[in-house]
């Protein structure tokens, strides 16, 4: 099916040959968050009971690790200069980009899938087993996503950057949809009772938010989700 949403032309985009310091620092918290979320059960305990010393220890490790990587320009967006200058250029995709975006896909997909499973189970039975779901299912799902990343089967983690004009919209569309749905669901989880009816309503709202943002992203209506036609210099 032909794409009918909004598009951008690479020739109309301003070329950025260097990343300003504030731009580099603005991207650092993104990767702090991505890697901080990596140990799923630990993250679940954070949202259910608050910060524990293990959360603080892991946060310190992530700050140090991403800080060192960012200093040497080994985080997407934190480089001294944009790596990608042409959306259609068959250029090697650096290892740091492939690793970072693989873990970003895990942060986006794993939590959304497990939360949806927990909501569906609670809606069907009236019983919450979200902790158990995270304990037993998070690692296998994470391993599968990391494997797909290693094989280059996820958007933005392929060996080449040739499909960047198309793949970045898949990535940002997913981030928009999942972030909105997770935020809404967290509020509902904290405020609504845990009856089967309320659990079903939470599930329907969660899926509804995913659908609304997914459709908007597919039509290029959200930031960084427009299809970019290749051929001219651009800034990542």
């Amino acid at each position: 099916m032909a794409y009918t949403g909004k598009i951008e032309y690479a020739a109309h985009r301003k070329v950025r040959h260097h990343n300003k310091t504030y731009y580099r620092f603005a991207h650092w918290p993104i990767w702090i968050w991505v890697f901080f979320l990596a140990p799923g059960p630990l993250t679940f305990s954070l949202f259910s009971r608050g910060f524990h010393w293990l959360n603080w220890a892991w946060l310190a490790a992530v700050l140090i690790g991403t800080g060192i990587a960012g200093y040497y320009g080994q985080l997407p967006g934190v480089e001294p200069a944009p790596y990608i200058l042409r959306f259609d250029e068959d250029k090697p995709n650096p290892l740091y980009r492939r690793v970072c975006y693989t873990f970003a896909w895990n942060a986006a997909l794993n939590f959304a899938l497990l939360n949806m499973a927990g909501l569906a189970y609670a809606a069907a039975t009236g019983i919450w087993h979200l902790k158990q779901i995270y304990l037993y299912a998070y690692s296998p799902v994470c391993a599968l996503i990391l494997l797909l990343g290693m094989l280059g089967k996820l958007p933005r983690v392929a060996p080449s950057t040739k499909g960047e004009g198309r793949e970045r919209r898949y990535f940002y569309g997913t981030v928009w949809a999942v972030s909105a749905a997770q935020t809404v669901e967290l509020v509902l989880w904290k405020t609504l009772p845990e009856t089967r009816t309320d659990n079903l309503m939470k599930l329907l709202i969660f899926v509804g938010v995913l659908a609304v943002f997914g459709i908007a992203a597919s039509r290029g209506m959200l930031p960084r989700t427009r299809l970019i036609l290749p051929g001219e210099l651009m800034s990542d």
Side-chain angles (χ1 to χ4, degrees), residues 89-93 157-164 167:
E89 187 176 12
D90 190 3
K91 189 175 181 180
N93 201 7
V157 302
S160 170
T161 62
K162 187 174 180 62
E164 180 69 9
E167 293 179 2

Side-chain angles (χ1 to χ4, degrees), residues 99-227:
V99 170
C100 288
Y101 281 117
T102 297
F103 275 93
W105 277 114
N106 178 68
L109 297 178
N110 206 339
F111 290 93
L113 290 173
L114 297 190
N115 286 344
M116 188 183 299
L119 284 168
Y121 187 87
T125 65
I127 302 173
W128 281 92
H129 279 318
L130 199 56
K131 180 179 179 179
Q132 291 84 347
I133 289 174
Y134 268 87
L135 183 62
Y136 294 108
Y138 179 86
S139 293
V141 175
C142 180
L144 175 60
I145 293 173
L146 295 184
L147 176 61
L148 292 174
M150 289 175 58
L151 297 175
K153 300 300 183 181
L154 297 172
R156 304 196 108 180
V157 302
S160 170
T161 62
K162 187 174 180 62
E164 180 69 9
R166 178 186 69 258
E167 293 179 2
R168 71 175 234 156
R169 63 188 304 267
Y170 301 152
F171 176 77
Y172 285 110
T174 302
V175 170
W176 276 111
V178 169
S179 298
Q182 298 274 57
T183 301
V184 171
E185 195 56 39
L186 178 61
V187 173
L188 296 178
W189 183 38
K190 293 292 188 179
T191 57
L192 292 183
E194 296 184 0
T195 66
R196 291 181 64 178
T197 300
D198 289 301
N199 292 338
L200 177 60
M201 183 173 67
K202 295 171 190 174
L203 175 62
L204 294 177
I205 292 175
F206 185 78
V207 174
V209 174
L210 285 175
V212 169
F213 275 80
I215 292 172
S218 70
R219 297 180 178 275
M221 299 170 64
L222 300 175
R224 299 197 173 195
T225 61
R226 294 182 179 182
L227 177 64

Side-chain angles (χ1 to χ4, degrees), residues 69-92:
Y71 179 81
Y72 288 102
Q74 299 293 293
L75 293 175
V78 191
E79 306 102 330
Y83 178 74
I84 298 175
L85 294 177
R86 294 182 185 272
F87 277 111
D88 62 340
E89 187 176 12
D90 190 3
K91 189 175 181 180

